[in-house]
Amino acid sequence: MSSRYPEQVDVAIVGSGPAGAAYARILSEEAPDATIAMFEVGPTVSDPPGAHVKNIADPDERARAQLRSEGPSAHDDGDRVGGIVKTAQRRARPGTFLLEDGYQVEGEDGLPVAAFSSNVGGMAAHWTGACPRPNDSERIDLLGEGDLDELLSEGERLLGVTTDAFETSPYGQIVRDRLAAAADEGRSERTRVQRMPLAVHRNDEGRLVWSGSDVVLGDVTRDNPHFTLFDESLVTRVLVEGGQAAGVAVTDRRTGESHEVRARFVVVAGDALRTPQLLWASGIRPEALGRYLNDQAQIVFAVRIRDLVAADASAQSGATGLSEYSGVTWVPFTDEVPFHGQVMQLDASPVKLAEDDPAAPGSIVGLGLFCAKDLQATDRVEFSADAVDGYGMPAMTLHYRLTEHDRQVFDRAKAEIVRLGRAIGEPLDDRPFMMPLGASLHYQGTTRMGAADDGASVCSPNSEVWALAGLFVAGNGVIPTATACNPTLTSVALGVRGAREIASRLLTSK
């Protein structure tokens, strides 16, 4: 049988999430003659490929797209809500599937709900679209302040970030005004309460369209005759020759056949758990690989907006049924108040905090505070030399411990979320809830960048793996700082920098 894969390309990209898509987009813009092959282990579940499933109008079709994203067992029938379900405490969100084993070592805290998505577009087909900029200690100093801000602006361009998608929401300003009165004192203008930057826009019909990898790829990539996306394609190994990346070994999940695709550059753009998995499986094992694993603990709370005059029912949106009552509000992270806060209408939240009030729709909002983790080299993902996962790749074991400082921050966050919630309205419950560790899906650090090859980082500031020319890593795992804000914008910005480096080398070698 003939292979559907090319024998050779200039750039092979493993993973179709926003960071991998950023590489394809920048290369299509800056090195348009370069041949690019993108490989995704999961199926195409939306049209165009990589589009957010929230844009699918039919609820049954949307649910099917979510189910098909839920990993190697996604074809199974039965009572499956959000992938593998072990207990009520181990339930994944629709469109994701849980790490079945190895999520917690005895005596450690672990990440009990560590989860993945396998589909074209990755987690960006299911995310909330929040794109805040990092602040204070979240920022990556080794890039330089001006350089980082320019890259973040490019990330916003690629993701289609806006702040006015919910501008006409009747309750949004009420929520922001009340939060500002409680939180803005002593803050600089850029860290005061404000609309959340969101990867969402309105189409010509006025309907909300949420960005997925399709928006990052853009027409310039889709129309690029030298770019090809291969779904249901499992990359099992990065090929290495003469101390540099030489291509990938890929298995067609439709036929089971394996092939080698030669490449001048390889970009591994999986999530923060599967990117180090592929490097490890390829025998690429720098000291920091898989280490400095960090997540963002999430504290949540729900309140009913006080003294509310009910809005007109026309606030209900069209195709996807998303209401537009209060939108999403942002309370930025600062080192003095070390939480990233977001307040959103219930149906925009991925966490089901309460049922909306049918008598006063939109009157209940959810608050979430995300906490940065103390970075530790001992927090890590390890891989087995013998056992394998559902894809036949090395099985994972997560080592993860909270520090005393982490617990102190959580306690402070619980008190702060109650204070902010009461400023908005009446709590539904006086006790905030801490989500199980791993629930944020914001895993970072396992292929972190650094200023030098000193054993504490995997890649350079250009995202190229130390001591292995031509191999780049991408995604949230590259972020080297402890962050509380949503990481997608930052990882796309870092991808822009890496893609520009590849484009420059391709053009120089012509």
Side-chain angles (χ1 to χ4, degrees):
M1 297 177 64
S2 62
S3 168
R4 64 177 171 131
Y5 306 113
E7 292 185 3
Q8 185 167 348
V9 293
D10 290 312
V11 185
I13 302 173
V14 184
S16 63
Y23 272 82
R25 170 72 171 271
I26 295 299
L27 287 166
S28 294
E29 291 178 343
E30 299 190 6
D33 293 331
T35 52
I36 307 165
M38 175 178 281
F39 303 95
E40 168 57 53
V41 69
T44 300
V45 300
S46 53
D47 183 22
H52 201 302
V53 301
K54 198 180 290 186
N55 300 329
I56 300 174
D58 181 80
D60 292 334
E61 186 180 345
R62 190 184 318 136
R64 182 171 180 268
Q66 292 169 330
L67 178 62
R68 295 182 66 217
S69 303
E70 293 174 6
S73 301
H75 61 279
D76 290 349
D77 295 325
D79 183 18
R80 299 178 65 255
V81 180
I84 300 163
V85 176
K86 291 285 191 177
T87 69
Q89 288 72 40
R90 292 204 68 232
R91 183 177 290 269
R93 301 178 195 174
T96 73
F97 61 103
L98 295 172
L99 179 61
E100 190 167 5
D101 298 300
Y103 53 84
Q104 185 175 22
V105 173
E106 185 175 357
E108 298 181 359
D109 298 287
L111 294 175
V113 292
F116 316 83
S117 287
S118 288
N119 52 272
V120 172
M123 203 72 76
H126 313 284
W127 69 320
T128 62
C131 290
R133 289 194 175 205
N135 186 53
D136 285 355
S137 58
E138 295 180 307
R139 292 174 61 86
I140 305 170
D141 291 338
L142 65 91
L143 296 183
E145 184 170 347
D147 289 346
L148 177 59
D149 286 333
E150 188 273 332
L151 292 170
L152 291 168
S153 294
E154 270 291 88
E156 290 165 344
R157 176 180 74 92
L158 298 188
L159 287 160
V161 175
T162 66
T163 57
D164 59 1
F166 289 91
E167 187 173 19
T168 60
S169 300
Y171 304 152
Q173 194 60 50
I174 296 170
V175 169
R176 288 191 293 274
D177 287 346
R178 293 179 182 179
L179 279 173
D184 276 359
E185 184 177 355
R187 286 175 175 259
S188 65
E189 183 175 355
R190 64 185 174 84
T191 62
R192 292 174 186 160
V193 172
Q194 57 196 275
R195 295 186 181 100
M196 177 71 77
L198 294 169
V200 59
H201 67 278
R202 290 190 182 275
N203 64 15
D204 293 339
E205 298 174 348
R207 293 177 177 174
L208 294 172
V209 178
W210 297 81
S211 297
S213 287
D214 65 317
V215 171
V216 181
L217 290 169
D219 289 339
V220 67
T221 310
R222 282 188 290 272
D223 295 342
N224 180 357
H226 305 298
F227 168 78
T228 311
L229 168 63
F230 299 96
D231 65 359
E232 299 186 66
S233 298
L234 172 66
V235 174
T236 58
R237 185 165 48 94
V238 175
L239 306 178
V240 178
E241 292 179 1
Q244 63 181 37
V248 296
V250 57
T251 297
D252 188 336
R253 298 199 72 233
R254 299 173 184 174
T255 66
E257 288 191 318
S258 295
H259 305 273
E260 289 189 354
V261 178
R262 314 295 292 183
R264 296 171 63 185
F265 297 92
V266 175
V267 180
V268 182
D271 54 55
L273 300 177
R274 288 183 286 187
T275 289
Q277 179 189 51
L278 177 56
L279 266 61
W280 194 91
S282 306
I284 304 165
R285 303 174 185 178
E287 184 178 347
L289 185 70
R291 293 187 175 273
Y292 300 96
L293 170 65
N294 65 97
D295 178 40
Q296 299 167 348
Q298 187 176 2
I299 315 295
V300 295
F301 198 53
V303 302
R304 185 187 303 275
I305 303 173
R306 185 184 301 110
D307 302 327
L308 197 66
V309 177
D312 191 292
S314 63
Q316 189 74 14
S317 137
T320 61
L322 183 69
S323 62
E324 299 179 29
Y325 290 105
S326 57
V328 186
T329 294
W330 177 27
V331 185
F333 169 96
T334 69
D335 286 343
E336 291 74 27
V337 186
F339 321 114
H340 160 75
Q342 49 194 55
V343 182
M344 58 180 63
Q345 55 195 45
L346 291 178
D347 61 353
S349 172
V351 180
K352 192 174 181 62
L353 296 178
E355 296 290 344
D356 206 354
D357 186 345
S363 62
I364 299 173
V365 296
L367 293 83
L369 290 183
F370 293 79
C371 306
K373 175 76 171 69
D374 261 351
L375 299 185
Q376 305 178 109
T378 52
D379 291 330
R380 65 196 187 279
V381 53
E382 289 186 342
F383 303 102
S384 173
D386 305 307
V388 297
D389 64 13
Y391 289 110
M393 296 294 286
M396 303 178 187
T397 298
L398 305 184
H399 292 273
Y400 200 77
R401 293 178 183 269
L402 299 175
T403 68
E404 182 58 34
H405 179 258
D406 289 330
R407 298 183 191 280
Q408 291 171 1
V409 170
F410 301 163
D411 289 341
R412 185 178 169 191
K414 290 175 183 178
E416 178 69 0
I417 203 170
V418 171
R419 187 181 77 85
L420 295 177
R422 287 177 173 161
I424 298 171
E426 307 306 325
L428 301 191
D429 190 323
D430 284 337
R431 296 169 299 175
F433 176 68
M434 181 170 169
M435 298 292 291
L437 295 176
S440 79
L441 307 178
H442 294 169
Y443 323 126
Q444 300 166 59
T446 52
T447 53
R448 68 202 304 250
M449 68 168 46
D453 184 7
D454 56 5
S457 64
V458 171
C459 66
S460 74
N462 287 328
S463 298
E464 189 170 19
V465 173
W466 297 116
L468 193 63
L471 176 61
F472 289 70
V473 284
N476 295 343
V478 177
I479 299 172
T481 55
T483 72
C485 74
N486 313 66
T488 302
L489 174 63
T490 301
S491 65
V492 168
L494 299 179
V496 168
R497 183 182 174 101
R500 287 174 175 171
E501 176 65 19
I502 294 176
S504 175
R505 294 191 201 174
L506 288 170
L507 294 173
T508 301
S509 64
K510 286 184 65 174

